[in-house]
Amino acid sequence: MKIEIVTPYQHIVSDEAEEVLAVGPKGEMGILPGHAHYVTPLAIGRMVYRQGAKRHAFVVEGGYMEVFEEKVLVLADHVERAEEVDLAKAKQGLEKIDKEMTQGGADYEPFEVLLQRRTVEQTRIQVASERA
C-alpha cells in the first residue's frame, strides 16, 4: 500500500509500506493493506512503517491519519525522522522537563504543556534507541 506523510511545511514520505503502526487517542494501531476506510486523530507518539525487513520510524506530534484500502495519508503537525533525533539532546530535554515538573521553573508552563513536551522527549528517546 502507499504511504504519504506530510506536514504543513514539508512532504516527508511517499513510499510503499506493508504495515503502518501509529498512535491514536486510544493507543497504538496497526494498518495493513486492504484496511477499511478510517480517519483518526494522531497522538504524540512513534510511527513506523515496514517494507519487508526494513523499518522506517518517526516521531509524530499530532495531526490526522486517513486510511484507504490501499493508501495511508498522514497529515501531521510535526514529524521527525528517527535518524534526525539526537539521543543525548532528547535525554537532556527529558531531564530538564522532569526538573521543571518537580521543582517548578522560572518559566511557568501549564502542567499539561509540560506533559506533552515530556511525551515528545520520551518518544524521541524511544525512536532513537530503537535505531541504535
Side-chain angles (χ1 to χ4, degrees):
M1 74 186 146
K2 183 94 168 156
I3 182 166
E4 298 276 342
I5 303 174
V6 297
T7 71
Y9 310 103
Q10 188 177 12
H11 189 255
I12 307 292
V13 168
S14 179
D15 208 350
E16 291 294 320
E18 294 175 15
E19 176 183 33
V20 176
L21 300 172
V23 179
K26 294 185 179 182
E28 190 170 74
M29 63 190 112
I31 308 296
L32 296 170
H35 196 287
H37 186 250
Y38 184 68
V39 178
T40 185
L42 292 171
I44 296 169
R46 172 178 145 273
M47 175 176 276
V48 176
Y49 75 90
R50 183 178 56 80
Q51 297 170 310
K54 187 161 173 107
R55 295 169 61 89
H56 304 272
F58 305 86
V59 177
V60 175
E61 296 180 40
Y64 290 88
M65 179 171 68
E66 185 167 10
V67 178
F68 303 91
E69 198 169 301
E70 290 301 321
K71 182 177 180 178
V72 174
L73 176 61
V74 176
L75 305 168
D77 297 336
H78 183 266
V79 174
E80 189 174 6
R81 294 174 184 270
E83 52 273 10
E84 297 170 345
V85 176
D86 181 334
L87 181 58
K89 188 176 175 183
K91 287 180 178 179
Q92 288 174 345
L94 183 61
E95 288 175 15
K96 181 181 176 192
I97 293 165
D98 285 344
K99 185 177 178 182
E100 287 179 43
M101 291 176 82
T102 57
Q103 298 175 355
D107 299 331
Y108 174 77
E109 285 189 81
F111 193 73
E112 286 183 16
V113 172
L114 288 172
L115 281 177
Q116 287 178 341
R117 286 182 42 218
R118 188 173 196 281
T119 302
V120 169
E121 294 303 337
Q122 286 177 315
T123 304
R124 293 179 78 233
I125 291 168
Q126 177 188 16
V127 166
S129 298
E130 289 174 354
R131 176 191 75 215

